[in-house]
Amino acid sequence: MTRKIKHYRPPGKKKEGNAARFVTRSQAVKQLQCNLTLFRKLCILKGIFPREPKKKVKGNHHTYYHLKDIAYLQHEPLLEKFREIRAYQKKIKKALAKKDNDQAIRLQTRQPTPSYDKVILQRYPKFVDALRDLDDCLTLVHLFAVLPAIERLKIDVECVHNCRRLSHEWQAYIVRTHKLRKVFVSVKGIYYQAEVEGQNITWLTPHAMQQVLPDDVNYNVMLTFLELYQNLLGFVNFRLYHTINVEYPPILDPQLEALAEGLYALSRYIDAHSSVPTEEPKASSSSLSQQVRAQVEGTETEESEIRLAQLQHQLPSNEPGALMHLVHDAMGEDEDEDDQATKECKKLFRNMKFFLSREVPRESLLFVIPAFGGIVSWDGDGAPFKEADQSITHQIVDRPTQGHKYLSREYVQPQWIFDCVNARIILPTEDYLVGRIPPPHLSPFVDNEAEGYVPDYAETIKRLQAAARNEVLPITGMGKEDLEDPQNMLVEGFISRTEAIEAAERKQKMEALEKQYREELKAELQGQDYSPALKKVKQSSFEEMQPREEHLPGLQQIAEDAENRDVLTMSRKKRGLYEAIKKNKERKSSRVNKLKERKKAIESQKAQKN
């Protein structure tokens, strides 16, 4: 009789379930043989996030990662590159400790640098994927573009300059293609939304003021994200610039760059290089770059003077309208190929000329006004035209201390620009004059009808939009039924007496025909032939049933009983979801009631003052 021999299996070798699929962060760091800082950087660059297993084997106080993600990082070429960089940094420190400055400088020049081209290609295989993930990228790049360079926080000058250049390149493309859709000024900053290739991209830019850097923020993590986002935005700008036939990176006017007018310089460059004639569709950006190189090599002047001369040759200085009026379509395309929103944005500020005073947010207005077809200038060096220009139609002023006033232009507050952009019409300027309290700045990202409360100024804007579209203006306190009534329309003066009589007769005929059709249809469904006698029988039976219906429960009680019965038959998960929906509705209704009460209180205070 043979005896089966059981082989010895050491404990802990075989793992199943969550123990085999997930590892803790300390186990992942030990497996990759790197420190915690490098592990965080790799996870950010490769887009690997912690996971939540159903059963936490090591306890609830650990952070878990999927084992396949860690194995994916183990064969990452960036890991080896970061190890080489760390080894070089140790050599540089050793050379500096020995006071061998020549060796330290030599090592710094040969220090390897990581390349993120393959990382971006892996994370965003299609250009649409990159556009969908551009919200946080633009917000972070615009934030670091206005931060001060602090060596203690490892925020160097080159990083700030690069972020400012990338943000101006993005804004110049949006201005050139008129893709800006919404603007909202809040306490946190200025929100923008653009539509690029069918994708809505929303980002936040800080206000133009001195930025205070708090100490409770981990700037190393932010700088790691910024390192990835700078490369991503560079690739996106490269692709977008080539769609409008502009060479990337653009060559800017050095004098305007010295005056910190990067966005204006980019607008000039794009307007000069994207207006390709239709007779030569093969003239690409490469041929333009060859022409620039030939001009630079064939002359003995400095490179900056040649660039400035080239720009001045293509955009004459005596035509200020051509400097910022970016209306020519790239590649000789016709305006008919644009969508309806782009056409509206192009024509909003057309034939308008704006001048910005010193106290207004110049960076934002220089971005918004040209994006909607306007021409803009400012008070300073390098401006396309001066304040004394008689062709200026509007001057943006934010304080009443204005010296000489021109009667040929209107002086309005900056909020008028943003409200016109969100409403897509030119609003009246009476409420936005200097010295007056402007109307409430409504957010275009809020759906008032879904929230249940529509502000008064939103109703005013709707009426102005309807008037711009040549529609019948809705009257305050009148609904759709009132507008359909010919008598009300006659009283309000929208139609004449003859038209009111004809409309009333037409309405009576339609109501009679509709009533007859419904009665015949009901009789047919019941299997009866329609006749006038049946009508009398129905009327008498209805009168007999009327007293009985008084003892029946109301419709509201029946609906509540049906609702309670449905709630009792729900599962626990669905019931909790239903209760959360009810609480959300109650919270929204209470918020709407508070707004209405506040509105009544303000109106009563105004009435008491008057």
Side-chain angles (χ1 to χ4, degrees):
M1 186 174 179
T2 58
R3 184 179 179 183
K4 293 183 179 179
I5 301 174
K6 295 183 178 179
H7 297 283
Y8 173 74
R9 181 177 297 155
K13 287 293 181 181
K14 185 179 179 181
K15 293 182 179 180
E16 296 178 354
N18 292 329
R21 289 194 298 268
F22 297 95
V23 293
T24 61
R25 188 177 63 181
S26 57
Q27 289 176 339
V29 169
K30 187 176 181 181
Q31 184 175 347
L32 294 175
Q33 297 181 2
C34 62
N35 54 12
L36 184 59
T37 305
L38 182 56
F39 176 73
R40 285 175 177 170
K41 191 170 185 177
L42 283 173
C43 290
I44 291 171
L45 294 175
K46 299 297 292 183
I48 293 174
F49 302 97
R51 304 295 184 93
E52 286 290 333
K54 293 182 179 180
K55 182 180 179 181
K56 298 182 178 180
V57 182
K58 297 290 184 179
N60 296 328
H61 59 284
H62 284 285
T63 304
Y64 292 87
Y65 290 86
H66 205 283
L67 187 62
K68 290 184 178 180
D69 294 338
I70 304 303
Y72 175 64
L73 285 179
Q74 201 166 4
H75 303 283
E76 177 59 38
L78 277 176
L79 184 59
E80 295 294 330
K81 182 64 69 175
F82 286 139
R83 286 171 180 167
E84 293 179 11
I85 294 173
R86 187 180 178 187
Y88 256 86
Q89 289 175 352
K90 287 182 178 179
K91 292 180 181 179
I92 293 171
K93 287 182 181 179
K94 188 175 181 181
L96 291 174
K98 292 182 178 180
K99 297 183 179 180
D100 192 355
N101 295 329
D102 296 337
Q103 179 66 12
I105 294 172
R106 196 179 303 113
L107 289 172
Q108 286 179 352
T109 55
R110 294 185 299 177
Q111 182 175 346
T113 55
S115 176
Y116 301 106
D117 301 354
K118 293 183 178 180
V119 175
I120 293 175
L121 183 62
Q122 290 173 357
R123 293 190 62 174
Y124 311 104
K126 296 181 180 179
F127 186 62
V128 180
D129 300 332
L131 292 177
R132 289 171 183 166
D133 201 22
L134 213 58
D135 296 355
D136 295 337
C137 170
L138 289 171
T139 301
L140 194 63
V141 170
H142 280 83
L143 172 63
F144 273 85
V146 298
L147 290 184
I150 301 176
E151 187 177 357
R152 174 177 57 87
L153 301 176
K154 298 180 182 179
I155 305 175
D156 54 356
V157 179
E158 184 179 357
C159 174
V160 174
H161 285 177
N162 190 35
C163 290
R164 187 169 180 81
R165 177 185 62 84
L166 290 170
S167 62
H168 283 164
E169 288 172 359
W170 167 261
Q171 292 180 9
Y173 170 80
I174 298 299
V175 168
R176 176 63 183 81
T177 54
H178 306 279
K179 296 296 184 182
L180 191 62
R181 296 294 178 262
K182 297 178 182 178
V183 185
F184 178 64
V185 183
S186 70
V187 179
K188 296 181 179 179
I190 304 176
Y191 289 88
Y192 299 100
Q193 187 178 87
E195 184 181 357
V196 181
E197 296 191 5
Q199 302 297 323
N200 289 328
I201 302 170
T202 308
W203 71 96
L204 173 66
T205 62
H207 292 290
M209 58 181 63
Q210 186 178 2
Q211 303 295 326
V212 179
L213 302 180
D215 296 330
D216 56 346
V217 177
N218 192 347
Y219 293 97
N220 292 326
V221 175
M222 295 182 67
L223 287 171
T224 305
F225 275 104
L226 182 66
E227 197 172 354
L228 173 67
Y229 287 155
Q230 282 180 345
N231 290 273
L232 173 61
L233 188 56
F235 277 103
V236 171
N237 288 343
F238 172 82
R239 173 71 178 270
L240 293 176
Y241 271 57
H242 275 259
T243 57
I244 58 174
N245 198 23
V246 177
E247 186 180 3
Y248 187 86
I251 303 172
L252 301 184
D253 186 350
Q255 292 185 6
L256 290 175
E257 285 186 286
L259 295 170
E261 302 299 338
L263 180 58
Y264 175 61
L266 272 167
S267 301
R268 288 184 58 178
Y269 177 84
I270 294 176
D271 190 42
H273 289 73
S274 63
S275 55
V276 182
T278 55
E279 291 83 2
E280 299 178 1
K282 295 182 180 179
S284 60
S285 59
S286 60
S287 62
L288 289 174
S289 62
Q290 292 175 3
Q291 294 175 8
V292 173
R293 294 193 191 99
Q295 290 179 5
V296 173
E297 293 174 358
T299 56
E300 296 179 356
T301 55
E302 294 181 357
E303 186 179 1
S304 60
E305 295 179 357
I306 294 172
R307 294 173 182 170
L308 182 60
Q310 182 188 10
L311 289 171
Q312 289 177 349
H313 176 70
Q314 295 180 356
L315 288 174
S317 59
N318 58 354
E319 296 181 7
L323 296 177
M324 293 296 292
H325 196 49
L326 311 176
V327 296
H328 299 290
D329 241 339
M331 300 293 290
E333 291 178 353
D334 197 10
E335 286 189 0
D336 296 336
E337 298 182 6
D338 295 329
D339 54 352
Q340 187 64 28
T342 305
K343 291 179 182 178
E344 291 179 1
C345 295
K346 280 184 179 181
K347 299 176 182 178
L348 184 62
F349 293 142
R350 181 172 288 183
N351 301 326
M352 291 187 182
K353 214 168 180 179
F354 299 87
F355 187 84
L356 309 180
S357 298
R358 289 181 176 272
E359 70 276 4
V360 301
R362 192 177 73 179
E363 287 263 345
S364 177
L365 293 173
L366 280 176
F367 172 49
V368 173
I369 293 176
F372 288 85
I375 306 170
V376 63
S377 182
W378 62 93
D379 187 10
D381 297 331
F385 50 88
K386 300 297 181 182
E387 185 180 1
D389 194 344
Q390 296 296 328
S391 60
I392 296 175
T393 58
H394 296 79
Q395 184 163 344
I396 312 301
V397 184
D398 206 8
R399 57 187 178 189
T401 58
Q402 185 70 23
H404 179 71
K405 288 190 175 181
Y406 297 88
L407 300 178
S408 60
R409 67 186 68 169
E410 295 187 75
Y411 293 85
V412 294
Q413 301 182 37
Q415 184 184 332
W416 180 76
I417 297 289
F418 303 125
D419 289 348
C420 289
V421 165
N422 296 329
R424 301 285 177 85
I425 57 172
I426 302 299
L427 298 173
T429 58
E430 287 80 10
D431 297 334
Y432 297 91
L433 295 179
V434 183
R436 294 186 180 180
I437 299 176
H441 182 49
L442 304 177
S443 173
F445 301 98
V446 176
D447 189 359
N448 296 320
E449 295 181 357
E451 291 292 329
Y453 178 76
V454 181
D456 293 341
Y457 193 60
E459 294 285 352
T460 305
I461 291 176
K462 284 183 180 180
R463 295 181 61 189
L464 293 172
Q465 289 172 343
R469 292 191 295 264
N470 296 326
E471 296 178 357
V472 177
L473 281 174
I475 304 166
T476 306
M478 288 183 63
K480 186 177 179 182
E481 298 82 5
D482 299 325
L483 291 175
E484 292 177 354
D485 191 355
Q487 187 175 359
N488 292 336
M489 299 289 286
L490 175 62
V491 172
E492 298 296 334
F494 288 106
I495 57 178
S496 63
R497 185 176 182 83
T498 307
E499 293 175 345
I501 294 173
E502 293 177 355
E505 292 177 355
R506 197 183 311 114
K507 185 179 180 181
Q508 289 177 359
K509 289 181 181 179
M510 292 298 295
E511 288 178 353
L513 289 173
E514 185 178 359
K515 186 177 181 180
Q516 182 181 357
Y517 173 75
R518 287 181 178 177
E519 290 179 354
E520 291 178 356
L521 184 62
K522 188 176 181 180
E524 186 178 353
L525 290 174
Q526 293 176 356
Q528 301 173 359
D529 294 331
Y530 179 79
S531 63
L534 289 174
K535 186 175 181 180
K536 295 180 180 180
V537 175
K538 290 179 183 178
Q539 185 69 23
S540 60
S541 62
F542 177 76
E543 291 175 355
E544 291 176 0
M545 290 292 293
Q546 192 71 20
R548 299 179 187 177
E549 291 180 358
E550 294 178 357
H551 302 284
L552 295 176
L555 295 176
Q556 186 177 0
Q557 184 66 30
I558 295 173
E560 290 179 358
D561 295 341
E563 184 181 356
N564 294 332
R565 184 171 59 252
D566 293 338
V567 171
L568 291 174
T569 56
M570 287 182 183
S571 62
R572 183 180 298 177
K573 185 177 180 181
K574 291 182 179 180
R575 194 182 308 161
L577 184 61
Y578 177 73
E579 294 293 335
I581 293 173
K582 283 183 65 177
K583 288 181 181 178
N584 190 17
K585 288 183 178 180
E586 292 174 358
R587 197 182 301 115
K588 187 183 293 185
S589 62
S590 64
R591 186 168 62 249
V592 170
N593 293 332
K594 286 182 180 179
L595 289 173
K596 290 181 179 179
E597 291 175 359
R598 194 179 301 171
K599 178 183 174 182
K600 289 181 181 178
I602 293 172
E603 289 178 352
S604 62
Q605 289 178 1
K606 288 182 179 179
Q608 291 176 1
K609 289 181 181 179
N610 296 332

